[in-house]
């Protein structure tokens, strides 16, 4: 992916955009932290976050329109120019000690980000294509969170170094730290220069004209909301991300007061440092999500990670150790990265290019509505004297709801993720010839049978679910039968196979992938056993036969043939699956067996 022209430049732009936006927010938040206590601190922190969110609500329709109408690289270029002027105003406010003006300019900086956002994220799909869409989202998430981490540490360290333990008013604090404003300006100038070098990747654009009257009276809002609801999976993922970001915003808004009142921490650098450790986790989680989405967008990760987020949020109010809090925030970040990357990638993947900007703006809009409402609730709770622990418990309940929602949507994918996590701890997998599996027609997969986990090994790199043919006696096992039905397995009996072959034929006609192990059982030695002719009775009707050979499983704990070679427990077993070219014509069992054996030497 990094060999694609413009990728490195784009990621640098992403970094600087997040680094600069966060810098001003951190300065304002640290000023609030130093001057105010208790409920006032929570309320003002929530207001700062609200000012960062409100533009994403107001600019939903215009931002989406611009991202669909004009090249996204140009939008990033001109938005970054506006950031230069805004940061100059912010710097001037610092020098004058105008706290309210600096506070208000948070809104203007966020307004620029709201216009920037849909173009910035829509550019991923245009720049790297569908092949690298998960890797692209993983890289963007990792770079963004790295910028957040570095920004938090950088600006907080400089802030603390300039202020120290001296008691200042909020106006005096701004005058003391005023030189930091020039760093914001410098970041914006470099961002503008790099954004001006990005290539234009727009393939198609919207021909619509923007009508201000329709925007003011909500006609665009209604139409755009209907657009993002057309595909239920897109809308569900947007809601899920909205719930997740709401939890995150509330945690960030209340943790400072919790640390101060419950743990006695008064150093802003320590508080920001603990929270910033979540960013380390997000970077690692984003990289893991991209790795687990090597072959397709692995949405099961999101369902699993929602549970992790919930457990961490619930555990924070029971923790009094700074070290354990740091670990919890790192885990929160890890699960966050694993949750966000697949959901964002899926939204982009399912969105038509001509409406991509509008859908991504809608994504920002709904997420922001959620966060805004949750911050209002946080402010009200704080105003009426509720302590931070109660809000942590409420966020854990929201996390539980999010977990149930993603479980229902991605239950099957979650099942595969759990197996993948378990087996990848012992195995490494390599797949040769995946391009030989047609993506838009029925496929009959035929190959050797060497272990109890062959079904998983073959399925792992293929997003379409494989319908395996399985022995009827195994299919009817107690407790497992319901799972086998859910997995769309086809029971096969040597005494009554006609109906099974008829069912397989129908599924092939409907574009499904059917898999059979013609040996009929797991090999008892390292040779490929005799193939049975059963598959010949399946009517293929244009579907292709794709042969495969599984190599490297012999001798594992999952195979019957243990062999003589013992592997170190700490060394992963390397497993390779070779997929041969499609076979369209009739092929007999012996000939097929020979073709599959020859695949072992296929390079």
């Amino acid at each position: 992916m990094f060999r694609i022209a413009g990728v490195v430049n784009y990621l640098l732009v992403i970094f600087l955009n997040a680094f600069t936006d966060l810098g001003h927010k951190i300065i304002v938040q640290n000023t609030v932290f130093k001057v105010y206590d208790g409920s006032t601190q929570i309320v003002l922190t929530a207001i700062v976050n609200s000012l960062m969110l409100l533009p994403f609500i107001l600019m939903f329709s215009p931002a989406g329109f611009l991202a669909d109408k004009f090249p996204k690289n140009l939008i990033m270029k001109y938005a970054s120019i506006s950031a230069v002027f805004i940061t100059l105003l912010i710097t001037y406010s610092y020098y004058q000690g105008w706290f309210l003006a600096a506070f208000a300019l948070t809104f203007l900086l966020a307004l620029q980000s709201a216009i920037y956002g849909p173009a910035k994220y829509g550019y991923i799909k245009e720049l790297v294509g569908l092949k690298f869409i998960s890797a692209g989202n993983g890289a963007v998430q990792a770079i963004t969170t790295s910028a957040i981490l570095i920004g938090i540490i950088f600006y907080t360290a400089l802030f603390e170094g300039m202020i120290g333990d001296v008691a200042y008013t909020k106006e005096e604090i701004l005058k003391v730290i005023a030189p930091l404003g020039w760093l914001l300006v410098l970041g914006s100038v470099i961002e503008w220069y790099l954004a001006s070098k990005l290539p234009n990747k727009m393939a198609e654009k919207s021909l619509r004209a923007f009508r201000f009257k329709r925007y003011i009276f909500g006609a665009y809002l209604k139409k755009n909301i209907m657009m993002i609801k057309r595909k239920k999976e897109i809308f569900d993922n947007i809601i899920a991300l909205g719930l997740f970001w709401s939890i995150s915003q509330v945690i960030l808004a209340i943790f400072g007061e919790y640390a101060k009142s419950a743990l006695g921490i008064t150093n802003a650098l320590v508080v920001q440092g603990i929270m910033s450790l979540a960013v380390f986790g997000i970077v690692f989680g984003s990289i893991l999500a991209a790795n687990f989405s090597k072959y397709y967008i692995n949405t099961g990760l999101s369902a699993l990670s929602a549970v992790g987020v919930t457990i961490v949020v619930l555990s924070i109010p029971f923790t009094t150790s700074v070290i354990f809090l740091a670990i919890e925030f790192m885990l929160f970040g890890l699960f966050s990265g694993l949750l966000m990357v697949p959901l964002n990638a899926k939204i982009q993947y399912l969105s038509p290019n001509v409406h991509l900007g509008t859908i991504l703006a809608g994504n920002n809009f709904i997420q922001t509505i959620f966060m805004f409402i949750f911050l209002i609730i946080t402010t009200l709770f704080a105003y009426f004297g509720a302590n931070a622990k109660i809000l942590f418990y409420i966020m854990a309940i929201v996390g539980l709801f999010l977990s149930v929602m993603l479980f229902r949507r991605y239950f099957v994918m979650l099942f595969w993720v759990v197996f993948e996590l378990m087996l990848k701890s012992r195995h490494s997998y390599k797949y040769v010839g995946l391009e030989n599996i047609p993506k838009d027609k029925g496929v009959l997969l035929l190959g050797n049978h060497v272990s109890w986990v062959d079904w998983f090994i073959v399925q792992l790199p293929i997003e379409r679910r494989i319908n395996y043919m399985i022995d009827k006696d195994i299919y009817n096992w107690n407790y497992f039968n319901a799972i086998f039905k859910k997995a769309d397995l086809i029971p096969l009996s040597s005494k009554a196979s006609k109906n099974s072959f008829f069912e397989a034929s129908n599924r092939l006609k409907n574009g499904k992938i059917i898999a059979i192990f013609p040996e009929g059982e797991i090999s008892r030695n390292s040779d490929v056993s005799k193939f049975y002719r059963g598959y010949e009775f399946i009517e293929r009707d244009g579907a292709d036969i794709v042969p495969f050979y599984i190599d490297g499983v012999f001798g594992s704990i999952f195979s019957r043939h243990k062999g003589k070679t013992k592997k170190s427990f700490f060394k992963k077993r390397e497993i390779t699956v070779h997929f041969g070219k499609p076979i369209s014509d009739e092929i007999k069992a012996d000939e097929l067996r020979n073709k599959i054996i020859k695949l072992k030497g296929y390079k």
Side-chain angles (χ1 to χ4, degrees), residues 26 28 87 147 191 202 295 321 475 499:
I26 287 296
V28 172
T87 52
E191 179 191 347
M202 176 170 269
Y295 303 107
S321 165
Y475 183 84
N499 289 340

Side-chain angles (χ1 to χ4, degrees), residues 153-225:
I153 295 173
F154 181 77
Y155 281 104
T156 302
L158 291 177
F159 182 93
E160 283 288 341
M162 291 177 168
I163 299 300
D165 294 324
V166 180
Y168 290 109
T169 65
K170 55 184 180 293
E171 290 79 14
E172 290 171 338
I173 288 176
L174 288 185
K175 289 181 179 180
V176 171
I177 59 88
L180 295 182
W182 293 113
L183 294 177
L184 300 177
V185 175
L186 179 62
S188 298
V189 170
I190 298 173
E191 179 191 347
W192 162 72
Y193 174 77
L194 293 173
S196 66
K197 303 297 181 181
L198 292 174
N200 180 5
K201 293 288 184 176
M202 176 170 269
E204 53 183 328
K205 62 181 181 180
S206 171
L207 299 177
R208 295 176 300 155
F210 188 80
R211 293 179 173 83
F212 189 74
K213 184 177 180 180
R214 296 194 67 192
Y215 166 60
I216 290 296
F217 288 98
Y220 280 136
L221 176 62
K222 183 178 178 181
K223 183 178 179 180
N224 292 340
I225 290 293

